[in-house]
Amino acid sequence: MGSLHKLCSPSLELTVDLEYGTIVAAAAPGLNWQILDRPELGCNFEMTIPLPDKHKHIIDGSRQKPASAEAGEDFVELFWNRIETPLAGVLEIALTLRIERKGRGFRFLSSIKNGSPYTVDSLCFPRLGDVALPEGAAHMDMHVPAYSDIDTQPVYPHFLNAKGYWGVDVPTQMAGGPSGAVWPFAFLDCDNSRGQYFSADWGEPRYLLYR
């Protein structure tokens, strides 16, 4: 593990490994909750770049070192000037990821400059490699908006696969609503006593994915 940088907001603490740009620890001290407490499961980004003969071409960035990393009291900014892929070699795709403190939490930003001949189909950021139960908690649920109330999707001890075996290769949930709508916000709840809120900035075309 490389140089570690800790970011603190009034409700959350994040630790970033600047060597690889991975989030290796996350905690909510006010809730006595070590959200991510196994550094070896730290992640940064995941990218999908379809190829002509291989649509499912997924790039896990967790072992790719950024070309530069800048950190301050309330931000971390990471830059990759090229992306290594398993099937297409090294591609001229520049990626910038930024974590910055905003209000009581954090804001996650990304930008891509694609100089490769392929399309970047999707980018997942941030990624948490694990979400641990708070001490003493017995279950975890995800609450998302529904047609007229709140829909609850179980996460632990039973994880509901909401996308079906024909669409995904691992159990997956998304913050979905009526008629296939995808809501950009959700609340992760533990024993109806502790939780964390996730959302995209209003107006941004972002999805929340859990798997």
Side-chain angles (χ1 to χ4, degrees):
M1 191 176 299
S3 175
L4 301 182
H5 185 76
K6 191 172 187 178
L7 295 170
C8 299
S9 78
S11 62
L12 282 174
E13 295 179 354
L14 298 177
T15 302
V16 181
D17 178 358
L18 297 180
E19 183 178 5
Y20 288 96
T22 51
I23 299 174
V24 295
L31 300 177
N32 191 29
W33 185 7
Q34 295 295 320
I35 300 170
L36 172 60
D37 60 357
R38 291 191 284 175
E40 65 272 18
L41 298 180
C43 298
N44 49 22
F45 69 89
E46 183 180 275
M47 190 179 288
T48 304
I49 305 175
L51 302 177
D53 58 349
K54 179 70 172 179
H55 186 267
K56 186 182 177 182
H57 182 221
I58 297 175
I59 292 84
D60 181 356
S62 298
R63 303 313 301 168
Q64 299 194 34
K65 295 183 179 181
S68 64
E70 184 179 358
E73 181 180 357
D74 57 1
F75 79 95
V76 167
E77 186 165 297
L78 307 153
F79 174 71
W80 287 260
N81 56 355
R82 294 178 180 85
I83 300 297
E84 299 178 14
T85 73
L87 299 177
V90 178
L91 298 180
E92 295 296 323
I93 298 175
L95 172 65
T96 302
L97 302 179
R98 182 179 175 90
I99 306 171
E100 59 185 31
R101 188 170 60 197
K102 182 180 181 181
R104 293 184 55 79
F106 291 98
R107 187 182 187 209
F108 299 86
L109 302 169
S110 61
S111 66
I112 296 173
K113 185 176 181 181
N114 187 0
S116 80
Y118 306 109
T119 298
V120 177
D121 197 49
S122 68
L123 172 69
C124 294
F125 172 74
R127 295 171 63 216
L128 293 179
D130 186 32
V131 175
L133 282 173
E135 186 175 354
H139 66 85
M140 183 184 297
D141 299 300
M142 188 67 69
H143 301 304
V144 298
Y147 181 75
S148 60
D149 55 7
I150 296 296
D151 183 32
T152 298
Q153 301 174 358
V155 175
Y156 183 88
H158 304 290
F159 188 95
L160 173 67
N161 180 23
K163 289 302 170 184
Y165 66 89
W166 59 87
V168 295
D169 56 3
V170 294
T172 300
Q173 296 181 19
M174 294 183 71
S179 302
V182 179
W183 301 113
F185 42 87
F187 182 74
L188 185 65
D189 169 45
C190 299
D191 282 355
N192 299 315
S193 62
R194 287 169 283 190
Q196 291 294 323
Y197 175 74
F198 302 87
S199 76
D201 275 357
W202 289 108
E204 290 291 321
R206 301 288 187 267
Y207 294 153
L208 296 178
L209 184 69
Y210 320 102
R211 61 189 183 187

